[in-house]
């Protein structure tokens, strides 16, 4: 008796090529096109995910910086500018109504206030807070071309120049003295980032 299971040469070696489906030329092109499109969408999705992650991190950093430094400093300088300009306007409009004693004391106040208003207008945020060196170094790192040369010039100065801070403190003290001489009660809230 013949055992088909033990026979190593079953004669089916060439059948595998006949059992695979024959793809037409159109199906082969469609398959290649599908693979190409799949790779493109995968790459695009990856890039969009990376971009969204970067934007999320940037937004969080901006929000913290704005809340902790930008807004408090801007509010404080704006309050000082507004107070000084308001007092100057008040003295301008009421000078003709002051008595002789008021005028002799008001003229130096007027000149002092005008000077404070002018000097406050020249103070900028960059004069009060040091640059974000970490952000500048990151920008420099990512601004290099393929040769390693910077595409743009980024000035990374690690020395914090807060020259405007002492000027702002001096102007705030002068303004507080004028407020006191006028008999007004004003509280100067100084943000902790300026202390």
């Amino acid at each position: 008796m013949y055992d088909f299971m033990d026979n190593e040469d079953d004669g089916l070696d060439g059948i595998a090529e006949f059992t695979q489906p024959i793809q037409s030329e159109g199906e082969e092109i469609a398959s290649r096109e599908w693979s190409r499109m799949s790779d493109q969408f995968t790459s695009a999705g990856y890039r969009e995910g990376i971009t969204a992650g970067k934007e999320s991190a940037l937004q969080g950093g901006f929000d913290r910086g704005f809340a902790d430094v930008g807004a408090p400093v801007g509010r404080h300088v704006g309050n000082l500018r507004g107070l000084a300009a308001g007092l100057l306007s008040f003295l301008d409009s009421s000078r003709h109504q002051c008595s002789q004693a008021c005028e002799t004391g008001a003229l130096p106040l007027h000149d002092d206030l005008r000077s404070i208003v002018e000097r406050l207008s020249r103070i900028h945020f960059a004069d009060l807070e040091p640059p974000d060196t970490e952000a500048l170094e990151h920008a420099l790192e990512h601004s290099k071309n393929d040769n390693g040369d910077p595409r743009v010039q980024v000035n990374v100065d690690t020395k914090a120049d807060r020259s405007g801070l002492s000027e702002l403190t001096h102007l705030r003290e002068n303004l507080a003295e004028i407020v006191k001489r006028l008999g007004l009660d004003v509280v100067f809230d100084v943000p902790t980032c300026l202390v």
Side-chain angles (χ1 to χ4, degrees):
M1 177 182 265
Y2 186 72
D3 186 8
F4 289 101
M5 301 305 270
D6 290 334
N7 189 357
E8 289 183 21
D9 184 22
D10 55 11
L12 300 176
D13 291 338
I15 292 194
E17 66 186 63
F18 296 114
T19 59
Q20 291 186 358
I22 299 175
Q23 289 184 338
S24 69
E25 189 177 322
E27 289 173 330
E28 190 175 313
I29 291 172
S31 177
R32 281 195 311 251
E33 187 66 22
W34 175 260
S35 294
R36 187 182 65 77
M37 286 177 45
S38 176
D39 289 345
Q40 284 178 340
F41 281 108
T42 299
S43 296
Y46 177 78
R47 280 193 307 271
E48 288 178 14
I50 293 293
T51 301
K54 286 180 181 179
E55 288 174 357
S56 173
L58 287 173
Q59 186 64 47
F62 173 82
D63 291 346
R64 281 189 302 281
F66 183 76
D68 296 345
V69 179
V73 169
R75 184 181 319 112
H76 182 65
V77 173
N79 285 341
L80 292 177
R81 286 179 179 172
L83 178 62
L87 290 174
L88 183 62
S89 178
F90 171 74
L91 288 179
D92 280 343
S93 67
S94 65
R95 190 182 315 178
H96 67 279
Q97 298 173 357
C98 289
S99 65
Q100 184 66 27
C102 180
E103 284 188 26
T104 58
L107 194 55
L109 284 179
H110 187 270
D111 293 341
D112 290 346
L113 273 170
R114 182 170 303 285
S115 172
I116 290 171
V117 167
E118 289 172 5
R119 289 166 59 194
L120 279 171
S121 70
R122 291 191 295 264
I123 291 182
H124 301 285
F125 183 79
D127 302 327
L128 302 174
E129 283 299 316
D132 184 351
T133 55
E134 184 179 336
L136 291 173
E137 288 169 355
H138 181 77
L140 181 62
E141 177 183 324
H142 291 285
S143 70
K144 295 182 180 174
N145 63 18
D146 294 337
N147 300 332
D149 299 326
R151 289 184 290 216
V152 294
Q153 188 66 29
V154 179
N155 184 14
V156 180
D157 184 11
T158 56
K159 296 178 207 162
D161 178 25
R162 296 179 78 182
S163 60
L165 189 57
S166 61
E167 173 73 357
L168 183 66
T169 302
H170 178 71
L171 292 173
R172 183 177 52 243
E173 290 168 354
N174 288 351
L175 191 56
E177 181 59 37
I178 290 172
V179 165
K180 184 178 175 183
R181 285 172 51 193
L182 290 172
L184 301 173
D185 185 24
V186 176
V187 176
F188 293 92
D189 290 327
V190 181
T192 57
C193 58
L194 291 179
V195 177

